[in-house]
Amino acid sequence: MVFALFAVAALALGLALRDLVPDLAALKALAEAAATRRAEHPLLAAFAAFSVYVAVTALSLPLASLMTLAIGALFGLFWGTVIVSFASTLGATLAFLTARFLLRDAVTARLGTRAKALAEGFARDGAFYLFSLRLIPAVPFFAINLGMGLTTIPLRSFYLVSQIGMLAGTLVYVNAGTQLGRLDSLSGILSPELVLSFTLLGLFPWIARMFLNRFKSRRVYARWQKPARFDRNLIVIGAGAAGLVSAYIGAAVKARVTLIEGHRMGGDCLNYGCVPSKALIRSAKLAAQIRHADHYGLAAAAPEFSFKRVMARVHEVIAEVAPHDSVERYSGLGVEVLEGRAKLIDPWTVEITDAAGAVQRLTTRAIILATGAAPFVPPLPGIETVGYLTSDTLWERLAGLDHAPKRLVVLGGGPIGCELAQSFARLGSEVTQIEMAPRILIREDDEVSALAKVALEADGVRVLTGHKALACGVSDGEKWIEVEANGASFRIGFDEMIAAVGRSPRLTGYGLEELGIPVNRVITTNDYLETLYPNIFAAGDVAGPYQFTHTAAHQAWFASVNALFGRFWRFKVDYRVIPWATFTDPEVARVGLNEQEARERGIAHEVTRFDIAELDRAIADGTARGFVKVLTVPGRDRILGVTIVGEHAGDLLSEFVLAMKHGLGLNKLLGTIHTYPTLAEANKYAAGEWKRAHVNPRVMRWLERFHTWQRGGSR
Ligand SMILES: Cc1cc2nc3c(=O)[nH]c(=O)nc-3n(C[C@H](O)[C@H](O)[C@H](O)COP(=O)(O)OP(=O)(O)OC[C@H]3O[C@@H](n4cnc5c(N)ncnc54)[C@H](O)[C@@H]3O)c2cc1C
């Protein structure tokens, strides 16, 4: 099929060339003159071709492909291949040496992230990495030569691997050149030989990739015995967001899928994360609104409530959402759900141990690891003695309390720490939040962190940024944590402490070590979410780089489709437009670049702001604080990133996510009707601000003159 497509493409190219090249006779005459010279002085001609080719490749000029075709036409398949093979390798080696010994800094600066990627590839696969690049030039030729000069690959290996790796490609190109050389007339462009040669040229990367993949597979699977038949098409380990979506997609396309969950269906999001935290946030917000009811013309009151009831509601919400992720629902969708701990036995066999200790093994063609992450507990001296809560434990452990903990320490100033600190403060705890970094929500812009801090403090949270936790302990029956700031340390007493300093992917206890699957804080995967073994994939928190439910679900699509259909076509996971939100009050939502990242990465940008204090609906709602900040390409309306701080910022962001995903600029947003009065109008007004800053002054002057003229010339 692919072959046929290429043949048609080559034919079409031939037809196009036939129309485009008006004077083949002149070209032919030129080629004949060159051929005569070559016949008269064969050695000199070969030497000249060789030297020019070396110079072209050493200087990284983009002429190598054309020259290869020409040399093929002039010297034929054998000598053409000999000349190009040695000349290209020598030229590449000269470029390599230049990068290594003469222009190291300049090359490093010029190649930028490419140099880093090449170094990582070489560190991972050694000389085989260079071989695969030579076979399939996924990186431009000049970049391979120069970038490899910055690695530690020995000169000899570079030369040999380059020469061997480029040989097949050289042969295919030179062969196409020889066919071009035989062209007598324009109708010859359609000759079967020429069409075949160019078809081969087009197909070469496919064939090379197939060869490489097969070779790599043989290497990684060498020590395992592949089953002759498989029980399943797909086994998914972990029934959180990533696992559920993967299994769902598998079943939807009629694969035989088994989903294995060792703890609770729905994973962290349903049981310990998004769902309970958002339920708690809602109760806490209502408490705050009652407290500040006078802002709305009512009498302010101290909210009366039982904390136990609030927590009971949290569990009711979990229970209400749980059927969406339940065994029953997924069984109904055609997924076989097994409850038990899964372990990889080999690349195709998974062992499942259920709660009663019964063990079974299943073989499968593909596996998706969706094992998630668990709260990271900082190794503070005394932390185990004083005891602590995490997002895994707090929902159960605090469920029986009549009142929220009186004095609560929240360790961590990230999204989870901020959401919990504000909620507990609103529900009556005296909260101290401890953050080592100079500000909370450190990934966001300074002004976002500042606004969030003001909001948390307004709710009574004592926000201690730049404070390092040193140790915990109990003195006279009172729990304390010692913190240090500006060289001085002091103790803070507390009743409960929540550790919210990050979440570590689950990487142990289910066979990664035994199979030698590399990990580096997350499971190492390639662009297709494949692990070391191309039939084992990872998705969600365990794969990173993001830790969100929606990114887990997004990756699940790529992992499951690649797992089931990757032998025909694979999809690179697309991280171009990733939104997220922190559900503090006001919410903080972002997609794409913020100012801080644009500066760090040297990306030229313009900033447009709209202040939500100006928004009618926000004023009416008593939520007139925050902003919409849009980064655009200078002079253009293309959106690079958006940060929104405000009521329902997470929802408002969706319009920008859609715009970025589909390449819609601010002009398009401005031209879209937004219902009045809604918070969503803030997005349109931000686009309006951008437009105002980009009106053409010359056009405005002309318009002014036009209107003056319309009035009869008076000022
Ligand atoms: C307090 C809190 C609030 C959050 N709020 C948000 C939010 O508002 N928005 C958002 O997008 N994200 C939020 N998150 C993050 C979100 O919960 C995670 O990103 C998401 O759950 C990741 O899904 P996952 O499928 O990768 O992993 P998980 O949901 O962790 O699922 C992994 C599952 O694998 C199972 N498992 C592990 N090993 C095995 C094994 N060997 N055998 C069988 N089963 C196994 C586990 O039991 C678990 O159920 C929050 C997280 C927390 C803690």
Side-chain angles (χ1 to χ4, degrees), residues 124-125 128-129 213-223:
R124 190 180 59 238
D125 288 340
F128 182 73
Y129 178 63
N213 286 344
R214 194 152 290 184
F215 181 78
K216 276 191 201 161
S217 288
R218 286 231 170 126
R219 251 186 10 163
V220 290
Y221 292 115
R223 66 186 170 112

Side-chain angles (χ1 to χ4, degrees), residues 302-430:
E304 281 182 25
F305 63 95
S306 148
F307 183 72
K308 205 186 267 178
R309 259 309 296 145
V310 170
M311 291 304 271
R313 178 182 173 270
V314 167
H315 287 282
E316 283 158 21
V317 170
I318 295 175
E320 205 171 324
V321 178
H324 302 170
D325 299 350
S326 63
V327 176
E328 294 71 27
R329 171 156 187 249
Y330 276 78
S331 304
L333 289 168
V335 176
E336 178 192 44
V337 183
L338 297 180
E339 292 178 273
R341 301 291 307 168
K343 185 170 187 211
L344 301 172
I345 300 301
D346 64 39
W348 305 277
T349 310
V350 178
E351 183 178 270
I352 306 115
T353 310
D354 72 13
V359 177
Q360 64 166 314
R361 284 187 180 188
L362 289 173
T363 57
T364 175
R365 187 173 266 286
I367 297 169
I368 295 178
L369 306 171
T371 49
F376 172 73
V377 179
L380 293 177
I383 192 163
E384 296 298 336
T385 320
V386 291
Y388 55 86
L389 299 164
T390 65
S391 55
D392 274 6
T393 57
L394 76 91
W395 311 108
E396 296 289 347
R397 294 255 299 273
L398 301 184
L401 299 185
D402 288 325
H403 301 282
K406 183 157 171 23
R407 293 169 307 161
L408 178 72
V409 161
V410 175
L411 269 184
I416 295 176
C418 288
E419 289 179 6
L420 292 175
Q422 188 178 43
S423 299
F424 277 98
R426 288 177 157 190
L427 292 169
S429 296
E430 288 166 24

Side-chain angles (χ1 to χ4, degrees), residues 253-331:
V253 296
K254 300 294 172 206
R256 193 151 183 220
V257 184
T258 295
L259 172 66
I260 305 163
E261 173 52 55
H263 189 42
R264 290 185 177 174
M265 291 293 286
D268 284 9
C269 183
L270 171 63
N271 299 293
Y272 313 110
C274 333
V275 174
S277 65
K278 268 76 245 178
L280 186 78
I281 285 169
R282 188 64 194 92
S283 297
K285 183 170 184 172
L286 188 57
Q289 284 172 333
I290 293 170
R291 202 169 281 126
H292 300 295
D294 53 331
H295 292 180
Y296 306 92
L298 311 179
E304 281 182 25
F305 63 95
S306 148
F307 183 72
K308 205 186 267 178
R309 259 309 296 145
V310 170
M311 291 304 271
R313 178 182 173 270
V314 167
H315 287 282
E316 283 158 21
V317 170
I318 295 175
E320 205 171 324
V321 178
H324 302 170
D325 299 350
S326 63
V327 176
E328 294 71 27
R329 171 156 187 249
Y330 276 78
S331 304

